[in-house]
Every structure is written in C-alpha cells, then in structure tokens.
Amino acid sequence: MTDTEPLLDGHLARLAAALPPYRQVAAMLSRWGSELAWTLGNGGRLLVAGNGGSAAEAQHLAAELVGKLRDDRTPLSAVALTAETSSLTAISNDFGFEEVFARQVRAHGRPGDILLLLSTSGRSRNLLAAARAGRAAGLHCWACTGPAPNPLARVCPEVLAVPAADPQVVQELHLVTAHLLCEYVDRTLPDVLGLAGVVSELPVMDLNGSRP
C-alpha cells in the first residue's frame, strides 16, 4: 500500500458514508428545481453566493443556468454575486466585507426572485446579512449548508443541510446538489415555457368581453 492510499480510501469512505443520509435530504431538490424553473421561465432571477470554494460553486451553478447543463435550451437569468470583482472590492472597502453580498442583493433582487446561499459551516456573516436583505426585499431565500442546526439554516426558510461532518465532503455534495438542481430545472422548463406560450397566444378581450 502506498502512502497515498490511506488518504484516498479515507476520503472516499467519508464521501460514501455521507451518500445515504444525503439522499434523504436531497429529495427536496425536485421541488426546488420545479420552483426555480417556474421562476426563471417567467422572467425571474436566481442570485447565488458563497465564500471560497462555495464561491466557485456559485459561479458554476450560474454558468450551468445561463449556458446549459446537457442539451441546449433558452438561457436563464442567474447571477453569481461572487463574480463581479469591482463591486466586491468597492463594497468591501466602503461598507465592510459583511455587506459584500447584502448590498448586491438589494441592488439586483426583485420580489419573487430566488436567493441561494452556499456555506459549509452556515456561519458566514456576509451570507447571514445577504439572507436578511433578501427576505426584506421579498426574495425566496434558500441555503445549502453543512449539518444543521446552524445560523444560516435558522435565517433561511428553505435549507438543504448536508449531514456530513467533513467540510470537503459537504462541498462535494453541494456540487452534486447544483447539478441535480439544474437537471430538475431542465425537466420542468419545457412545461413552463409551453404554458407561457399558450397564455401569450390567448385572444385579448376588451372590458366588454369583446375581441378586438
């Protein structure tokens, strides 16, 4: 056995142990994907944020929605709040790092939009501030965290808390979550766009019930 095999086997063992309990909590992703598809398909927006590796995953998720996961489809509005460096540095410099996402939420979020916050610990103060700003602005606030309870899980009405003690495993399963969420969006989106097309083709009537 080489020196690397215990590391490899240990990491894979922790990941494998986390999969059955993750499967239980991930059952909610079907509902999240459907809700996200209806929101984005009707002109709404997803705002997504995280710190460090979670920032990279936020950008990954936004890229899958604006671009595509598998098959080509209409681009969807998803903004990673971690990606605009001028805003990040200006807000951090002028208002403090705790406000770096909250101020962007207040700028870009509209009532009915969805805010998704990623955190392995659930304790990041800038994400807590973003969640409070999102709720105040009428956004639907979701979180992906590590084990609950944690502060972010208490602030966000919708939470997928990965039941794994290892932050690396939590982050890896957050990436699985992002891919599954996109899969469910893509499954629901044709129904959303089809219904929108039917509604747009309905004849318009005046106030007396007559067609123009």
Side-chain angles (χ1 to χ4, degrees):
M1 180 179 289
T2 69
D3 290 341
T4 61
E5 285 177 345
L7 290 176
L8 174 63
D9 291 343
H11 189 102
L12 292 179
R14 292 191 296 275
L15 180 59
L19 290 178
Y22 170 77
R23 192 180 191 285
Q24 297 299 314
V25 300
M28 67 189 298
L29 288 174
S30 174
R31 177 173 57 82
W32 273 17
S34 178
E35 184 175 342
L36 185 56
W38 283 96
T39 298
L40 301 181
N42 285 288
R45 177 177 292 164
L46 173 70
L47 304 180
V48 57
N51 294 292
S54 296
E57 295 199 353
Q59 291 176 225
H60 186 133
L61 174 57
E64 303 282 22
L65 293 170
V66 177
K68 68 182 181 68
L69 181 67
R70 297 184 189 277
D71 301 323
D72 192 14
R73 48 113 172 98
T74 186
L76 302 170
S77 181
V79 178
L81 302 182
T82 58
E84 215 284 88
T85 55
S86 293
S87 291
L88 288 175
T89 53
I91 295 168
S92 298
N93 188 59
D94 293 340
F95 301 98
F97 193 63
E98 188 170 323
E99 282 292 302
V100 69
F101 300 133
R103 193 166 181 86
Q104 292 187 78
V105 168
R106 289 190 288 269
H108 299 304
R110 300 294 181 266
D113 286 346
I114 294 173
L115 172 65
L116 175 58
L117 303 170
L118 307 175
S119 174
T120 57
S121 70
R123 295 192 297 270
S124 300
R125 289 185 295 176
N126 55 11
L127 297 179
L128 293 170
R132 289 190 287 266
R135 295 188 68 179
L139 280 71
H140 301 288
C141 294
W142 300 351
C144 290
T145 73
N150 60 69
L152 189 59
R154 287 192 288 269
V155 173
C156 293
E158 296 271 357
V159 181
L160 192 157
V162 175
D166 187 341
Q168 295 177 37
V169 171
V170 171
Q171 204 160 74
E172 288 155 6
L173 291 176
H174 282 177
L175 181 57
V176 173
T177 296
H179 285 157
L180 284 169
L181 189 58
C182 291
E183 293 266 20
Y184 284 119
V185 167
D186 284 357
R187 176 184 293 182
T188 306
L189 193 62
D191 292 336
V192 176
L193 298 179
L195 182 59
V198 169
V199 171
S200 68
E201 293 170 6
L202 290 176
V204 178
M205 295 187 178
D206 63 22
L207 293 178
N208 296 317
S210 301
R211 296 179 182 177

